[in-house]
Amino acid sequence: MTVRGDFQEPARARPDLVIGREELFARAREQLSGGGSVLVHGPAGIGKSTVLRALAAECAESARTVLRCSSTETESHLPFLALADLLGLVVDEIADRLPPPQRTALESALTGRGESTLQRDGLALRLAVLSAFRALAARGPVLIVADDLQWLDPASAELLGFAARRLGGMPVRMLCAVRTDTEPQAQEHDGYLRASPPETLAVRVTPLSRTHVTELLGRRGYTGLSRSTVRDIHRTSGGNPLFALELGRALAESPTPPSPGEPLPVPTSLRALVLSRLEMLSPEARRTLLVASAGARPTLALLHAAGRVNAEAETASAAALGLLATERETPGIRFAHPLVSAALYAEADAQERRAAHAALSGAASDPIERARHLALSTTGTDPAVAARLGEAATAARDRGAPSVAVGLGLLAARHTPAGTRPGPDERRLQAAEDALTAGETDLARDIARQVLARATAPADRVRAWMVVVDSAGQAMAEIDAVFPQALADAGDDPGLVALVRYQLAWRALLMDGEMATAREEAAHAARLAARAGDRRTELLALGFQAQMETLMGHSDAPSTIQRAMREPQDSRVACDHNGAGAARFRWLVMGDRLAEARTTITALLREAQRRGMVESELHFLRGLAETELRSGHCGRALDLSRESLRLARDTGIGEAATAMLTSLAEAAGGDVDRALALAREAVDRAEEDGDLVYLSRALGALGHAQLVAGDAPACVRSLRRVRELEEGLGVVDPARGRWHGDLAEALVRVGEAAEAQDVIDVTRQRALRLERESVLAVLDRAEALVRAARGEQGPAERQLSSAQDRLAKLGHGLEEARAAYALAGLRALPHPLGSARAGGTPVPGPASYDEAARLFRRCRALPWLRQVETAAAAHRPAAPPLAPAALDTLATTERQVAALVMEGATNREIAARLFISVKTVEATLTRVYRKLGIRSRVDIVRLAAERRAD
């Protein structure tokens, strides 16, 4: 898709404002820090200039000379203009270092006072530019920053390419940006790479995700847009930040925002990008494209069926103008960018749109599509049209496309006459419930509020209130005033009261932290629903009751789960995240039946995905990740948790809970700093929502991450709060959060062995009553550390060995590895945990850590594996002495990394200083160790000290 040259990309360049480009920045930084060059490319408006300026701002600090040029289409005919931008301010500094013929040719080209041309002074000019760059490089590193290479005047482009191809070995880096086609497979940038320094890295700027578009709009002040609107902005803009900002600005300035389900208004600034080319089409071709834009999946066959007899020729002419993309593998017709379709549809008047939809209503083969087009081609109410739309919405729901059902339901409501059954409000409420299923909570809430503004029937009002409550998620404090109104509307109808009481059970849990009260409310709701014959609400209430009883360690939990799983079942509840299946999964996980839990949650996840139940899908992704984490499959758990976090960010559902679970996965198999950040985010969100339940879980994740990071005092502070919260909540089952062993271990580390033993004793009593075998084994691991701190070395080792064997049999791989690590620590250290060892001598050398390393490696528990390797290295014999001159054998980057190690910099600090990734630092250090025949950073420091002594 071509964009006019006067439509500029955003000019903001601060690195902290560059959104969603972390991976791109990491690759570019690594390339530039190693002395290489970078070519940034992508379509117009995608943010190339923003990325370029941010990278240039970072790299300029390490360059002695920075040369810049930025061309425009209107100036591209002026010869040597870009060259003048680059060298005009520095030519006087280096002129005396150029041979006279070269100096004369260069000055003539830059000033325009002579008659220099490439044809006349080609060789002299080429050599002059090359000599100029060499002269500047002789004084220090040079950075060339060139934006919009596609508009470089041909003469400057030729000279710059000639020099670039011959800059190898000199401290000259090029950082350039060029506009390329919207198609990723297009290789337009290849020509620019051939005119760049050898081995220049080409990085494509890709579209932003929906999460990043949300962040971008928020930073620019467009914070009042609903999530469904942002979703439409992302779809229409194709993730292009410039287009997204224009759409966001137009919506923010519009006095009448679009109604739910209506297409976005496309501002004039964006329509103009398309309309200039549309004017080059015939009127018939434009009508053909309008029909294509109105269709969900347009094909040539569909256009023919819709009466567009010359569709092949008309779409071919549109493709030649860049309005359509050529599909080689499918018969579909695809617009070059979603904006083309949106602008075309927005430009058409109401009559033209209705005509397009009327043609498609008879041409589409899918009954859902036919019903939609029939509705959009019809004005006013029509019971027959409404009925067809209702049937289509049901079909979409059954296909697992609830978001499609939302649009159809709203159209059905629009065409439903008052006084019919189902009425307009009933159809709207069904659409709102479909929106909840699809994860479009703000859209569901907006529809429900519209119904409440005019509905008088108690059933409609209570149903609408329930949508409002469900759309609030964990943030129930924001809608607390809803409950008295809903109860008043419910009156004494047992079915309606059951709906409200079920939600009051959630309120008691999330806002008041009263599990016992929540259980009683759920049981009351189940009884009322059974009396009213509402099996769906009865099943949901029983499922919630079972979950409360499980967490409370109540003896009725198994029987309540059985009641909830009896026939008749409701297909929607069967795979609902609050249904009996989810309650049974939780019971299985807490009871160490991990294989059965994995089978159960996998089936639930598959069904939720099939039905398009987004919130349930999110819950079950987290559940599967948790199961894999308990099983010691840390890499798999990390992948699943990150997937769930992306879904939570996109939908705004369960972000605190998902951040909490992802923190645990990061601490186990990913990055500890990220684990800490995610846990703190979860704590902040839970406190903001007033959600005591997830606050305790989030603090548990924070404490665990702090323990893995080696900050025992902070871990103690966090987990003490968890202990207080869970006592207040009435949580009895220690398998719920599994933080007790971490607290005891951290207490030992800070010298509070007596409190650690108290935590172990209280928790063991509960775990014994509930038969939580893995919890008991972890408590034994922690108690062994208490014993070791008291000098009871032999019993501590035996207890740890037993705990490791039991955890292995239960399938808790990560906990097994942690027990092996603790055992290795006791055997390897003469004074473990700061206390004297009672008798015997320590087992020397790193061999005692081999078992722990093997187990952590099997789990892919990278943070723990690093701890083991560090501990093992501390017990290795000292490396043989090396000559200090050995440092001179290292490559440039290796010497830079080694030098920073000598200063005491961490890997993360080295990465920041050299603009490379932490992984690159680690790989470089590995090469340094291998070349020097050493084992650790300490040996590098020793070599440096010996070198200074010499």
Side-chain angles (χ1 to χ4, degrees):
M1 177 180 174
T2 305
V3 178
R4 290 194 329 237
D6 58 344
F7 203 74
Q8 300 297 317
E9 298 184 25
R12 307 282 281 277
R14 281 171 41 202
D16 62 320
L17 292 181
V18 181
I19 297 168
R21 310 299 188 194
E22 293 80 7
E23 183 178 349
L24 182 155
F25 263 73
R27 293 174 59 205
R29 284 190 186 110
E30 185 172 351
Q31 174 78 358
L32 292 163
S33 66
S37 297
V38 172
L39 176 68
V40 178
H41 67 99
I46 204 68
K48 301 181 301 299
S49 296
T50 304
V51 168
L52 187 79
R53 284 188 286 267
L55 284 170
E58 292 183 1
C59 296
E61 299 176 3
S62 61
R64 186 186 189 280
T65 305
V66 180
L67 309 175
R68 302 176 187 270
C69 71
S70 182
S71 304
T72 65
E73 185 177 12
T74 56
E75 298 172 338
S76 60
H77 66 285
L78 300 174
F80 306 119
L81 182 61
L83 189 66
D85 288 341
L86 288 171
L87 297 175
L89 297 178
V90 298
V91 66
D92 292 340
E93 302 174 20
I94 55 168
D96 59 345
R97 307 180 74 173
L98 304 181
Q102 294 180 21
R103 182 170 63 246
T104 300
L106 183 60
E107 290 176 345
S108 175
L110 295 180
T111 62
R113 288 194 293 268
E115 298 180 358
S116 183
T117 64
L118 274 180
Q119 290 73 25
R120 174 179 171 179
D121 302 312
L123 181 59
L125 271 175
R126 288 174 171 81
L127 294 175
V129 173
L130 180 60
S131 299
F133 288 150
R134 284 175 172 165
L136 290 170
R139 302 187 308 176
V142 177
L143 176 66
I144 301 171
V145 183
D147 197 3
D148 282 318
L149 287 184
Q150 74 277 4
W151 303 133
L152 245 65
D153 62 274
S156 296
E158 169 62 27
L159 295 171
L160 190 60
F162 176 86
R165 292 189 294 272
R166 292 162 176 80
L167 290 176
M170 289 185 288
V172 179
R173 296 170 295 173
M174 291 184 67
L175 178 56
C176 306
V178 62
R179 180 182 300 176
T180 52
D181 192 85
T182 57
E183 295 297 314
Q185 66 268 24
Q187 299 296 313
E188 293 178 56
H189 64 280
D190 279 358
Y192 296 96
L193 275 177
R194 288 191 289 272
S196 302
E199 298 184 5
T200 294
L201 174 68
V203 290
R204 181 177 177 83
V205 186
T206 55
L208 296 178
S209 68
R210 191 199 305 184
T211 301
H212 290 136
V213 166
T214 302
E215 183 180 353
L216 175 68
L217 292 168
R219 287 196 183 181
R220 295 300 177 88
Y222 306 134
T223 55
L225 301 173
S226 67
R227 283 189 177 271
S228 57
T229 299
V230 172
R231 177 205 62 199
D232 291 341
I233 289 175
H234 178 256
R235 185 181 62 245
T236 303
S237 68
N240 185 300
L242 177 61
F243 299 166
L245 287 172
E246 285 295 299
L247 290 166
R249 179 186 58 77
L251 284 165
E253 295 174 355
S254 174
T256 55
S259 300
E262 289 186 352
L264 291 182
V266 180
T268 304
S269 58
L270 294 183
R271 289 193 203 183
L273 305 180
V274 178
L275 298 181
S276 58
R277 281 172 289 152
L278 282 174
E279 291 174 356
M280 302 171 67
L281 292 173
S282 68
E284 287 300 310
R286 290 186 61 173
R287 279 191 280 273
T288 294
L289 287 194
L290 177 60
V291 173
S293 73
R297 293 174 296 276
T299 63
L300 285 173
L302 178 66
L303 293 178
H304 280 303
R308 311 311 303 167
V309 294
N310 295 318
E312 286 91 346
E314 289 162 352
T315 54
S317 61
L321 292 171
L323 295 166
L324 296 178
T326 303
E327 294 283 0
R328 296 183 177 87
E329 299 178 357
T330 66
I333 293 171
R334 184 165 61 86
F335 286 90
H337 192 279
L339 185 64
V340 177
S341 176
L344 181 63
Y345 193 83
E347 186 67 15
D349 60 35
Q351 185 176 352
E352 290 173 323
R353 294 183 192 178
R354 285 197 297 272
H357 287 295
L360 289 168
S361 67
S365 58
D366 185 87
I368 293 177
E369 278 300 293
R370 286 201 302 272
R372 184 176 74 88
H373 291 303
L374 176 62
L376 292 172
S377 65
T378 307
T379 59
T381 59
D382 187 322
V385 172
R388 284 187 59 180
L389 285 165
E391 293 168 359
T394 300
R397 203 174 301 119
D398 292 341
R399 289 184 188 179
S403 58
V404 174
V406 175
L408 293 168
L410 292 174
L411 285 172
R414 185 188 305 173
H415 289 282
T416 300
T420 59
R421 298 290 301 196
D425 285 339
E426 289 179 84
R427 293 195 186 279
R428 291 188 183 94
L429 287 169
Q430 180 60 65
E433 290 164 357
D434 287 331
L436 285 175
T437 301
E440 300 177 20
T441 53
D442 56 343
L443 177 58
R445 183 188 59 248
D446 291 345
I447 297 170
R449 293 288 187 187
Q450 291 176 11
V451 172
L452 287 167
R454 56 177 173 265
T456 57
D460 288 347
R461 292 189 61 80
V462 171
R463 193 175 168 190
W465 286 127
M466 295 306 95
V467 171
V468 172
V469 173
D470 279 332
S471 65
Q474 309 296 119
M476 279 204 166
E478 298 177 2
I479 47 92
D480 200 31
V482 162
F483 293 103
Q485 300 176 66
L487 281 172
D489 284 331
D492 57 3
D493 184 312
L496 297 180
V497 175
L499 290 171
V500 183
R501 286 293 171 191
Y502 171 67
Q503 296 292 0
L504 283 170
W506 280 102
R507 182 195 179 282
L509 175 66
L510 298 177
M511 288 186 60
D512 300 333
E514 295 285 346
M515 283 193 175
T517 304
R519 173 182 175 270
E520 292 169 6
E521 285 283 10
H524 186 194
R527 290 192 296 271
L528 287 169
R531 192 196 314 167
D534 182 357
R535 183 61 173 162
R536 180 175 186 274
T537 302
E538 181 188 6
L539 290 171
L540 287 171
L542 287 171
F544 183 80
Q545 179 184 342
Q547 293 207 46
M548 293 303 96
E549 290 171 349
T550 299
L551 296 177
M552 294 167 63
H554 199 288
S555 59
D556 287 349
S559 62
T560 305
I561 291 175
Q562 290 178 357
R563 287 174 58 202
M565 299 191 74
R566 289 176 191 156
E567 295 295 336
Q569 286 291 314
D570 183 293
S571 59
R572 292 172 296 172
V573 178
C575 59
D576 190 280
H577 57 282
N578 292 322
R584 182 172 181 273
F585 160 74
R586 178 57 49 201
W587 185 70
L588 290 169
V589 168
M590 294 174 68
D592 298 320
R593 295 164 64 175
L594 296 179
E596 200 173 344
R598 182 184 294 106
T599 301
T600 299
I601 197 67
T602 301
L604 288 170
L605 174 60
R606 188 180 300 117
E607 184 64 14
Q609 290 173 330
R610 188 187 72 80
R611 290 176 172 271
M613 300 171 68
V614 173
E615 187 171 3
S616 293
E617 177 186 355
L618 179 58
H619 275 262
F620 298 150
L621 274 172
R622 290 202 306 257
L624 183 55
E626 180 185 353
T627 306
E628 299 295 358
L629 194 58
R630 300 285 174 226
S631 303
H633 305 151
C634 300
R636 172 69 172 152
L638 188 60
D639 291 342
L640 288 165
S641 63
R642 286 175 174 172
E643 181 184 351
S644 68
L645 187 61
R646 284 192 293 270
L647 182 59
R649 299 276 197 239
D650 280 348
T651 60
I653 297 172
E655 292 186 73
T658 311
M660 177 274 298
L661 190 279
T662 309
S663 170
L664 292 172
E666 290 284 355
D671 182 87
V672 179
D673 289 340
R674 181 162 170 76
L676 289 165
L678 286 167
R680 291 189 180 105
E681 176 192 335
V683 169
D684 291 343
R685 284 182 176 272
E687 288 182 326
E688 181 182 335
D689 292 343
D691 184 346
L692 298 177
V693 174
Y694 270 111
L695 177 58
S696 68
R697 296 294 306 274
L699 284 166
L702 178 59
H704 179 73
Q706 290 164 334
L707 181 69
V708 178
D711 191 349
C715 172
V716 169
R717 289 192 296 273
S718 296
L719 296 185
R720 277 174 175 164
R721 283 190 66 192
V722 177
R723 192 180 189 188
E724 294 172 4
L725 280 167
E726 290 205 351
E727 289 297 328
L729 286 166
V731 176
V732 173
D733 196 329
R736 184 243 186 184
R738 298 178 182 267
W739 48 268
H740 313 78
D742 285 348
L743 176 56
E745 182 176 336
L747 285 166
V748 171
R749 291 188 188 183
V750 300
E752 298 287 349
E755 184 182 347
Q757 188 64 56
D758 177 66
V759 170
I760 293 167
D761 292 342
V762 172
T763 309
R764 179 179 283 133
Q765 184 178 8
R766 295 173 176 176
L768 282 168
R769 180 174 66 83
L770 296 169
E771 300 180 345
R772 300 308 192 207
E773 292 299 325
S774 63
V775 174
L776 289 168
V778 168
L779 291 173
D780 280 354
R781 184 185 70 204
E783 189 172 51
L785 300 179
V786 175
R787 286 184 165 186
R790 292 171 176 165
E792 302 172 18
Q793 188 72 21
E797 289 187 12
R798 287 191 293 274
Q799 192 171 17
L800 271 174
S801 182
S802 173
Q804 180 183 343
D805 290 344
R806 287 154 58 202
L807 288 165
K809 290 176 182 177
L810 290 168
H812 284 257
L814 183 58
E815 298 296 354
E816 174 197 358
R818 288 182 63 181
Y821 180 31
L823 182 60
L826 291 189
R827 288 173 173 169
L829 297 177
H831 302 291
L833 302 170
S835 299
R837 184 170 183 171
T841 57
V843 178
S848 60
Y849 286 99
D850 288 349
E851 174 70 0
R854 181 185 69 81
L855 291 173
F856 281 132
R857 197 173 292 112
R858 183 186 68 184
C859 294
R860 287 184 59 192
L862 301 183
W864 290 104
L865 185 59
R866 293 187 192 104
Q867 288 189 33
V868 172
E869 291 172 344
T870 301
H875 291 85
R876 287 192 182 102
L882 282 173
L887 290 171
D888 296 331
T889 65
L890 301 178
T892 303
T893 302
E894 294 166 349
R895 283 200 302 273
Q896 290 175 328
V897 170
L900 290 172
V901 168
M902 296 171 198
E903 296 176 10
T906 66
N907 286 3
R908 192 170 295 280
E909 291 168 341
I910 294 171
R913 294 267 293 275
L914 297 181
F915 302 109
I916 58 179
S917 68
V918 175
K919 288 184 179 179
T920 301
V921 174
E922 293 170 351
T924 304
L925 279 174
T926 299
R927 292 196 302 272
V928 170
Y929 297 158
R930 185 173 62 250
K931 287 184 177 181
L932 300 182
I934 61 178
R935 296 189 179 95
S936 70
R937 300 163 67 96
V938 175
D939 295 327
I940 296 178
V941 176
R942 176 176 55 78
L943 281 175
E946 293 171 357
R947 189 180 204 180
R948 286 192 294 269
D950 291 346

